[in-house]
Amino acid sequence: MKILVCISQVPDTTTKIAFSDNNTVFNTQGVTFIINPYDEWYSLVRALELKEAGVATAVNLVTVGKADVEPVIRKALALGGDEAIRIDADSNDPYVIASEIAAYAKSENYDLVLCGKETIDYNNGAVGPMLAELLDMNFIGFATKVDVAGGVATVTREIEGGEEVDSSALPLVISCQKGVAEARIPNMRGIMAARTKPLKVVASANVAPLSTIVSYDLPPAKTGVKMFTAEDMDALVSALHTDAKVI
Amino acid sequence: MSVIVLAEHAQGSFKKKAFEAIQYASGIAQTLGTSVTAVVLGTASEAALQQLGAYGAQKVLHVSDARLDNLNSRAYTKALIAAAEKEGAKVIIATHDVTGRAVAPRVAARLKAGLIAGAVSHPDTSKGFVIKKNVFAGKGIAYLNITSDVKVVTLMPNTFPVKKGEGTAAVEALSVSFDDKDFGVTVKEVNKVTGAVPLAEAELVVSGGRGMKGPENWGVLEDLAGSLGAALACSRPVADSHWRPHHEHVGQTGGTIRPNLYIAVGISGAIQHLAGVNSSKTIVVINKDPEAPFFKAADYGIIGDALEVVPKLTAAVKKFKESQN
Ligand SMILES: Cc1cc2nc3c(=O)[nH]c(=O)nc-3n(C[C@H](O)[C@H](O)[C@H](O)COP(=O)(O)OP(=O)(O)OC[C@H]3O[C@@H](n4cnc5c(N)ncnc54)[C@H](O)[C@@H]3O)c2cc1C
């Protein structure tokens, strides 16, 4: 069984967000980039576990990005995985990303494609289901547990107000969230090995975007917290009712 | 032409977010000079379907196949596309939740339609089809334009107020020819959280952090939540220490929520926690440390010991509720 793990490069969680060029460009100056946490902690680690358990034979990593994403994909290789594929394109339209990955994956016969539930930059969560559509595969989103045996995946996923256990024959696309695996830290052997692991660069399929970001903004700053004392709870309740209109 | 909207329900019972999506679609339809068709998949009564008219649907297309009572992204996609083709839809709306987020991108990919995931504004059609959404886990806002002819939008729930109007919708059956492949995902087991308000849908949330000291102190938060009709949540270390179940953990690695009111008790307000809750409309913070970072993100704050403050707040809420009766 071959697994493909989609890896996205995103700004570190603690990064301060700023925009330039009249708020039309995300300012990457001084920003530290990391592997999207949902891709790293959940889908990548689960894929590695499935390989270690002898269920999967190969774990490949794919990312869509220019050469500047290579340090991040190398870090993903250091955690494990057999080879990485960088598709030489750059976009923040999920349709472009999914189409680029699909164009590559179509001929590779992956049995399982794993994504994170969303990226922490554009928060779309659309690449997984789009990829499923473009590759004509089943899709299960918001997985909290993933098992594979005998060509069938058993997946626990979030539903409104609870959880559901689904099963599906492979091939299948799954988007992963908390619960699927526990985060790992790359060890020295992994880091050394990653240096020599193949990082294949694939040409872009030149897919035209269907959406564009016109501009950005920062959320309006909180106007300041209004403080109450513990003896003043009636006033707080009244403010929640009259001013905030939430109760 | 028309705007179609996937109206989610459970066995014919529609929740607020379905009405919200229909009303949102109705606003777009008015701008475009067209009508709204709600698409309902699975078992639902005629009466329940007609009621969608009160929220702005002129027509309901009902695909009554009982296999659609559970989400199957392929089958849902096929049904929505059949509806879109029948209506000549230019805009397709769904809710930004576990269902809409599995289906809308599939539909968009099939139709080569641009997608905006998690819209928080109506489209500005003076500049194309420009919609606002939150990015960078709530630390930024982006204005996106869809350039394709057909447009797909998932609406962030709890974004617009819902007003019930008059009118009933005309209900029409839509038959879709499914094949086995469309139901390739089978449901083995369903486990619903019973009793309490499910966190993802809750409009009011009471949340506790490590400052609560231990699970034995959660009674005061349960009382407060009970008096408000709120759901319970917690920070990550609380779930990691098994004081509370993992499905209550919110933040970057846990659930993302967007309630009207988030009351954070004994939570420091680390950025990873804020990532899951900073879109809440109103935030109340109770913390004994006046320097706790959460106060910067809060609308209302109380400096004090949780075990002293929370019972007082609960008493005030009860008093207020009684005065309302
Ligand atoms: C990669 C990563 C991902 C993470 N994901 C998440 C996530 O999804 N969700 C999440 O919550 N965290 C997450 N964290 C952890 C996060 O950084 C914080 O460590 C965590 O949110 C702290 O939880 P806390 O505020 O409950 O506890 P603490 O940091 O211990 O803070 C407790 C607070 O309670 C106050 N307090 C203490 N006693 C009392 C009292 N008697 N009355 C009132 N107040 C009191 C203290 O002043 C303090 O502010 C993540 C961290 C990392 C590195």
Side-chain angles (χ1 to χ4, degrees):
Chain A
M1 181 178 82
K2 272 171 70 181
I3 304 182
L4 182 67
V5 181
C6 302
I7 299 285
S8 180
Q9 157 170 302
V10 295
D12 184 80
T13 310
T14 53
T15 291
K16 215 173 136 82
I17 299 301
F19 306 108
S20 55
D21 294 23
N22 210 6
N23 274 357
T24 57
V25 176
F26 168 54
N27 188 348
T28 56
Q29 197 128 46
V31 171
T32 314
F33 285 94
I34 58 169
I35 312 169
N36 182 44
Y38 300 111
D39 305 348
E40 177 185 343
W41 302 337
Y42 309 133
S43 29
L44 174 55
V45 175
R46 187 63 194 136
L48 298 173
E49 288 171 354
L50 288 170
K51 189 173 174 205
E52 286 154 10
V55 180
T57 49
V59 174
N60 289 1
L61 318 177
V62 67
T63 189
V64 178
K66 292 291 183 183
D68 62 337
V69 307
E70 288 194 359
V72 159
I73 195 88
R74 282 263 179 236
K75 222 180 284 170
L77 274 177
L79 280 160
D82 301 298
E83 84 172 58
I85 298 96
R86 174 172 74 79
I87 302 173
D88 193 32
D90 189 22
S91 175
N92 45 39
D93 178 16
Y95 177 75
V96 173
I97 314 262
S99 300
E100 291 283 0
I101 297 174
Y104 154 76
K106 221 158 230 164
S107 54
E108 299 289 322
N109 300 316
Y110 287 104
D111 303 284
L112 191 59
V113 180
L114 299 181
C115 311
K117 75 160 182 178
E118 64 184 36
T119 55
I120 64 164
D121 51 6
Y122 294 104
N123 302 106
N124 291 314
V127 167
M130 282 185 171
L131 206 45
E133 185 61 33
L134 297 168
L135 293 171
D136 194 22
M137 289 185 185
N138 291 337
F139 172 76
I140 299 176
F142 297 92
T144 55
K145 196 161 182 275
V146 175
D147 279 307
V148 184
V152 175
T154 305
V155 181
T156 305
R157 73 167 181 95
E158 183 186 327
I159 55 170
E160 296 304 321
E163 280 192 335
E164 182 179 286
V165 183
D166 290 347
S167 95
S168 167
L170 304 179
L172 172 68
V173 180
I174 302 174
S175 80
C176 300
Q177 62 174 349
K178 183 187 156 79
V180 163
E182 290 294 332
R184 286 184 183 180
I185 299 164
N187 57 27
M188 209 49 197
R189 222 182 74 211
I191 295 165
M192 297 308 286
R195 292 195 182 152
T196 54
K197 280 183 186 170
L199 199 167
K200 207 158 86 185
V201 180
V202 172
S204 163
N206 289 318
V207 182
L210 303 171
S211 72
T212 51
I213 295 180
V214 183
S215 64
Y216 295 95
D217 238 335
L218 290 172
K222 288 272 177 186
T223 45
V225 50
K226 197 164 172 206
M227 300 303 290
F228 291 85
T229 68
E231 309 316 317
D232 232 6
M233 289 300 98
D234 290 332
L236 172 61
V237 169
S238 160
L240 291 175
H241 178 66
T242 321
D243 303 337
K245 297 187 172 58
V246 289
I247 61 171
Chain B
M1 210 176 111
S2 82
V3 176
I4 70 163
V5 46
L6 175 63
E8 283 182 50
H9 65 106
Q11 304 280 326
S13 139
F14 291 90
K15 292 214 178 111
K16 185 177 152 240
K17 61 185 174 185
F19 303 141
E20 228 180 312
I22 292 170
Q23 215 144 67
Y24 180 75
S26 171
I28 296 177
Q30 273 162 28
T31 314
L32 300 178
T34 176
S35 63
V36 174
T37 300
V39 181
V40 177
L41 310 178
T43 315
S45 73
E46 178 92 8
L49 297 176
Q50 284 170 352
Q51 279 172 17
L52 298 179
Y55 298 92
Q58 277 80 32
K59 185 167 157 187
V60 174
L61 284 177
H62 184 205
V63 189
S64 64
D65 197 317
R67 289 175 296 179
L68 299 169
D69 289 347
N70 295 307
L71 164 66
N72 237 307
S73 69
R74 275 191 204 247
Y76 274 41
T77 300
K78 195 182 244 185
L80 261 185
I81 285 175
E85 278 168 359
K86 183 172 188 313
E87 299 293 294
K90 292 285 182 228
V91 182
I92 301 169
I93 309 290
T95 300
H96 194 68
D97 62 3
V98 285
T99 300
R101 296 179 70 177
V103 178
R106 274 201 100 122
V107 170
R110 171 84 67 94
L111 297 177
K112 280 199 182 2
L115 167 77
I116 291 176
V120 296
S121 78
H122 283 278
D124 178 352
T125 49
S126 71
K127 299 182 189 121
F129 195 86
V130 177
I131 288 182
K132 181 173 153 181
K133 69 164 282 185
N134 290 332
V135 290
F136 301 108
K139 287 189 285 177
I141 291 167
Y143 295 84
L144 277 96
N145 184 29
I146 301 183
T147 46
S148 55
D149 182 34
V150 178
K151 296 151 174 80
V152 180
V153 178
T154 59
L155 174 66
M156 195 62 97
N158 211 10
T159 300
F160 297 106
V162 173
K163 268 203 242 90
K164 191 173 179 187
E166 300 288 317
T168 52
V171 178
E172 225 179 83
L174 176 68
S175 91
V176 178
S177 56
F178 294 111
D179 49 47
D180 288 348
K181 203 167 92 172
D182 296 320
F183 297 97
V185 176
T186 42
V187 179
K188 296 279 175 208
E189 209 179 300
V190 175
N191 303 308
K192 292 254 184 188
V193 181
T194 48
V197 190
L199 183 53
E201 298 164 27
E203 292 185 6
L204 308 173
V205 174
V206 171
S207 187
R210 199 146 54 180
M212 291 303 295
K213 302 288 194 288
E216 67 283 2
N217 292 328
W218 239 261
V220 298
L221 295 186
E222 280 163 356
D223 287 347
L224 176 58
S227 71
L228 285 164
L232 284 168
C234 67
S235 69
R236 174 164 144 165
V238 165
D240 286 351
S241 319
H242 306 290
W243 296 358
R244 297 300 298 175
H246 269 292
H247 64 80
E248 287 184 7
H249 151 204
V250 292
Q252 178 146 72
T253 41
T256 307
I257 56 171
R258 195 186 157 79
N260 291 340
L261 175 62
Y262 185 71
I263 304 182
V265 186
I267 303 177
S268 61
I271 189 102
Q272 296 88 356
H273 184 84
L274 289 179
V277 304
N278 60 6
S279 295
S280 307
K281 283 192 189 135
T282 298
I283 297 178
V284 175
V285 168
I286 301 172
N287 198 304
K288 69 172 188 188
D289 173 11
E291 303 295 323
F294 221 146
F295 283 119
K296 289 200 184 73
D299 300 281
Y300 302 103
I302 304 117
I303 298 165
D305 190 308
L307 295 177
E308 281 169 28
V309 178
V310 176
K312 288 183 179 154
L313 177 54
T314 308
V317 169
K318 285 188 177 149
K319 198 165 111 192
F320 166 76
K321 294 269 173 180
E322 275 157 25
S323 75
Q324 295 281 299
N325 285 333

